[in-house]
Amino acid sequence: MPSVMIRVKENGALLFYIAKKDQEDEIAEVETDTEESWGGEVLLTDGSRYYVDPITPRPSFPTTLRFKRV
Amino acid sequence: MSTMTREETAALIQEVLEVYPESAREERAKHLTVNDQEVEQSKKCITSNRKSLPGVMTIRGCAYAGSKGVVWGPIKDMIHISHGPVGCGQYSRAGRRNYYVGTTGINTFGTMNFTSDFQEKDIVFGGDKKLSKIMTEIEQLFPLNKGITIQSECPIGLIGDDIEAVAKQAAKTLEKPVVPVRCEGFRGVSQSLGHHIANDAVRDWVLGNRDEDTSFVSTPYDVTILGDYNIGGDAWASRTLLEDMGLRVIAQWSGDGTLAEMENTPKAKLNLLHCYRSMNYISRHMEEKYGVPWMEYNFFGPTKIAESLRQIAAFFDETIQANAEKVIEKYQAEYQAVINKYRPRLEGKRVMLYVGGLRPRHIIGAYEDLGMEVVGTGYEFGHNDDYDRTIKEMGNATLIYDDVTGYEFEEFVKRVKPDLIGSGIKEKYIFQKMGIPFRQMHSWDYSGPYHGYDGFAIFARDMDMTLNNPCWSKVQAPWLKSEEAPEAAVAGA
Ligand code: SF4
């Protein structure tokens, strides 16, 4: 269950940052991404997948969330 | 020497690894790689931020060095106690040349060494009483200090002193911020964890201090300089450019910085981050908690400076953007003259770097502006995210080495035969004795600043002065000289 900070990159994409691992990857896909909620399974550009229960209302970034590895 | 191909570089790495026993070879192999710009993520080709192996010569420092020496030390109006035995502070005293203005010993304390000078009895009975006593003493002798930080050395963690409790107590009696920092040298694998611990201490003990205080009047053009330690005046040379653009620099972290500046940083509109490694943690925190965005920039060499100025300006309105162009134009004649003068003398020269947390990638552009090529680079204490940012900056098939050992570095140099090496004091004399021009790229070899347009002129002069110094032809004894004289002899001209 890594704690992950998500921020908006200069190019508008969401950046998935795992502090413990100094890992920075862009988020390629998110399962739920609507006005009201955000979350579910996320796919990173390096191919790995993580999961977080969808959050309502949609959080404002940057924010830190606890993800599960899928 | 022509440039090496990918196969040659890979073969060189294999050859150098040969002498190690098997387990060490496997471990070290992960830290050496041939650069490939195609690779998106450095973790695929290089391992970093791992413990150095016993038995090899590493050049790393400790967590205390990362906190006291790098992040906290330059905050000039606070007193930083090196808590523990006298050596850690005394042997590193004033070594980083973080310039500042002020009267040392009266209202600024940068080059002084404060220590609790642990003796056997403090180890046996604990040092908390002594710590609180010296803080009272400090207050009597140096009443103009704005606060105190307690920088733990190894023994503090080992004997389990409760410095947090002492700090809270002292903060009450002195009515000033007293910050305990748990940066004992044994924590982590290098000074890098010290940066992180220091960042966390700023977050927990300083950053929120003025959240309620509205007396500071901010403007829409407030920016801060983070991760610039004002080595030889670097931050000043950067600051003037930002001010020329019409921005207001409200804080410098931490070169020539003050406690009040740190406390007011959350009121900025944009945090500018030079050394990513040592201050990304606090930048991320401020973005999350206060909504202050941050961006990395690079003020080494005109190409990167212009790029960075434009990127910074893009955060603001059109006036600032126009100003950025004006600034670039204003300095153009100046830096072009520097390039015209030095480029012919330095063109085509090859450089190997091995430095700390940002310079292995940040200075590449400055060398390229002078027509030089960086053929090998590496970090003492970089992490994956640093290497991610390096791959694109370096040429294909160049060498990348992480936490390089003394032996590996020497062998690489013997084979790659660079014209110049940029690294630290511990490497300097080995390479100079091998007859290779060398610049210290931590302390700028007692020169500087190297940031900004003003710094670039000094940088170029220093590189020329070192590389083309006539002394390099005199290193070999006359009777050992071969027929063909080394080309360095022409340099004096
Ligand atoms: S490792 Fe420990 S004893 Fe050595 S300099 Fe660092 S804090 Fe001091």
Side-chain angles (χ1 to χ4, degrees):
Chain A
M1 290 252 293
S3 157
V4 179
M5 182 184 271
I6 299 179
R7 65 186 290 257
V8 186
K9 263 180 80 165
E10 300 84 63
N11 62 6
L14 288 179
L15 188 79
F16 192 87
Y17 170 70
I18 308 178
K20 267 265 153 62
K21 297 207 283 186
D22 298 299
Q23 186 189 337
E24 284 181 318
D25 281 302
E26 271 182 34
I27 296 181
E29 272 170 45
V30 193
E31 198 181 338
T32 330
D33 188 0
T34 61
E35 297 278 296
E36 302 92 58
S37 79
W38 189 93
E41 199 171 290
V42 300
L43 171 70
L44 306 187
T45 42
D46 75 338
S48 55
R49 286 168 190 281
Y50 290 82
Y51 177 84
V52 69
D53 288 329
I55 298 166
T56 348
R58 191 181 204 274
S60 64
F61 300 113
T63 186
T64 303
L65 303 168
R66 291 190 84 84
F67 278 79
K68 271 201 240 62
R69 268 204 98 104
V70 180
Chain B
M1 270 283 292
S2 60
T3 348
M4 291 164 67
T5 63
R6 170 166 302 280
E7 289 70 35
E8 283 168 343
T9 317
L12 169 61
I13 293 177
Q14 283 318 315
E15 200 178 301
V16 168
L17 286 169
E18 207 91 301
V19 301
Y20 287 127
E22 204 182 312
S23 65
R25 190 186 320 146
E26 262 171 40
E27 168 58 31
R28 285 302 309 160
K30 296 182 205 149
H31 295 263
L32 308 172
T33 191
V34 188
N35 192 39
D36 180 353
Q37 291 184 328
E38 300 297 304
V39 176
E40 283 297 324
Q41 286 172 317
S42 63
K43 66 182 173 196
K44 300 216 171 91
C45 60
I46 197 158
T47 306
S48 55
N49 198 31
R50 288 286 181 283
K51 188 152 181 35
S52 312
L53 293 174
V56 302
M57 281 284 268
T58 173
I59 295 131
R60 284 173 162 176
C62 69
Y64 160 84
S67 174
K68 160 69 173 43
V70 177
V71 176
W72 279 105
I75 297 293
K76 60 181 177 177
D77 59 355
M78 293 180 88
I79 286 178
H80 311 284
I81 304 176
S82 295
H83 189 37
V86 65
C88 316
Q90 185 57 20
Y91 289 113
S92 58
R93 174 179 175 183
R96 277 188 95 235
R97 301 172 56 254
N98 315 102
Y99 286 3
Y100 58 89
V101 273
T103 311
T104 303
I106 305 296
N107 58 4
T108 46
F109 311 92
T111 49
M112 297 172 79
N113 178 28
F114 293 85
T115 174
S116 46
D117 187 18
F118 262 37
Q119 305 296 312
E120 255 175 280
K121 78 171 194 322
D122 302 312
I123 302 285
V124 176
F125 298 109
D128 285 346
K129 282 215 186 73
K130 189 174 198 176
L131 179 60
S132 86
K133 190 169 156 218
I134 63 174
M135 285 200 270
T136 321
E137 246 171 62
I138 283 175
E139 192 57 22
Q140 283 165 356
L141 291 169
F142 306 100
L144 294 185
N145 80 74
K146 294 282 161 51
I148 298 175
T149 71
I150 304 162
Q151 306 284 334
S152 311
E153 295 166 5
C154 286
I156 307 307
L158 297 173
I159 62 177
D161 272 9
D162 189 358
I163 58 167
E164 285 81 7
V166 183
K168 278 189 191 136
Q169 185 57 41
K172 251 188 230 136
T173 44
L174 306 180
E175 293 172 346
K176 284 177 183 175
V178 179
V179 183
V181 191
R182 283 285 177 188
C183 56
E184 287 90 347
F186 56 75
R187 292 186 201 276
V189 301
S190 66
Q191 51 269 64
S192 181
L193 189 68
H195 304 143
H196 198 159
I197 294 170
N199 276 221
D200 289 353
V202 174
R203 178 194 67 199
D204 296 341
W205 298 83
V206 172
L207 213 56
N209 286 2
R210 295 193 188 214
D211 282 358
E212 315 300 319
D213 178 356
T214 50
S215 60
F216 181 81
V217 189
S218 47
T219 73
Y221 300 115
D222 288 357
V223 297
T224 63
I225 298 180
L226 303 191
D228 190 325
Y229 301 101
N230 205 27
I231 291 167
D234 278 345
W236 295 331
S238 308
R239 184 182 181 123
T240 48
L241 295 182
L242 298 170
E243 287 172 346
D244 275 359
M245 254 165 83
L247 299 174
R248 184 170 79 147
V249 179
I250 61 164
Q252 280 175 219
W253 291 43
S254 52
D256 195 31
T258 62
L259 176 65
E261 286 174 34
M262 273 191 150
E263 291 171 337
N264 278 326
T265 301
K267 305 191 167 105
K269 292 290 168 298
L270 174 66
N271 282 329
L272 299 172
L273 181 58
H274 208 247
C275 177
Y276 169 84
R277 181 72 274 130
S278 60
M279 283 195 177
N280 78 82
Y281 318 99
I282 198 75
S283 314
R284 289 178 200 274
H285 170 75
M286 280 192 264
E287 184 175 37
E288 187 171 7
K289 183 164 174 207
Y290 298 98
V292 185
W294 55 280
M295 66 165 276
E296 296 167 55
Y297 70 109
N298 179 354
F299 269 2
F300 285 108
T303 311
K304 290 289 173 187
I305 298 174
E307 228 171 76
S308 296
L309 287 177
R310 290 191 177 116
Q311 271 170 17
I312 294 168
F315 267 85
F316 297 93
D317 54 30
E318 274 152 28
T319 345
I320 301 288
Q321 285 161 17
N323 284 349
E325 296 305 323
K326 273 188 218 144
V327 173
I328 297 167
E329 216 183 282
K330 175 176 149 195
Y331 286 95
Q332 201 198 347
E334 205 175 288
Y335 71 73
Q336 199 52 51
V338 172
I339 294 177
N340 293 347
K341 179 169 177 194
Y342 292 106
R343 190 162 175 142
R345 299 168 63 85
L346 297 169
E347 185 89 52
K349 300 285 186 197
R350 297 153 73 248
V351 191
M352 275 175 87
L353 297 171
Y354 178 60
V355 221
L358 90 151
R359 292 169 185 164
R361 66 171 175 275
H362 265 47
I363 354 177
I364 296 172
Y367 281 116
E368 286 174 351
D369 285 335
L370 293 171
M372 299 164 79
E373 188 195 357
V374 179
V375 292
T377 197
Y379 297 83
E380 260 177 49
F381 49 82
H383 298 202
N384 275 342
D385 39 356
D386 292 303
Y387 288 97
D388 285 344
R389 290 162 167 74
T390 311
I391 294 173
K392 298 275 174 276
E393 303 281 335
M394 285 290 283
N396 260 324
T398 50
L399 258 176
I400 296 191
Y401 28 81
D402 175 67
D403 185 23
V404 77
T405 69
Y407 157 77
E408 289 162 12
F409 201 12
E410 256 183 75
E411 291 305 307
F412 286 152
V413 166
K414 280 184 202 156
R415 285 288 302 277
V416 178
K417 295 203 178 65
D419 301 291
L420 176 74
I421 299 174
S423 191
I425 185 72
K426 293 174 223 124
E427 297 78 83
K428 178 173 181 172
Y429 298 102
I430 302 165
F431 293 121
Q432 286 196 339
K433 285 174 187 172
M434 283 163 71
I436 301 167
F438 186 98
R439 285 300 297 186
Q440 279 188 71
M441 296 308 277
H442 292 274
S443 68
W444 307 147
D445 243 328
Y446 322 110
S447 176
Y450 284 179
H451 291 179
Y453 291 116
D454 292 344
F456 178 65
I458 300 169
F459 171 81
R461 181 206 64 190
D462 285 357
M463 295 309 135
D464 174 49
M465 184 168 83
T466 305
L467 243 163
N468 294 321
N469 195 303
C471 75
W472 302 114
S473 61
K474 308 277 186 284
V475 176
Q476 208 175 22
W479 59 91
L480 293 176
K481 275 213 177 111
S482 59
E483 292 301 295
E484 29 180 329
E487 59 176 294
V490 247

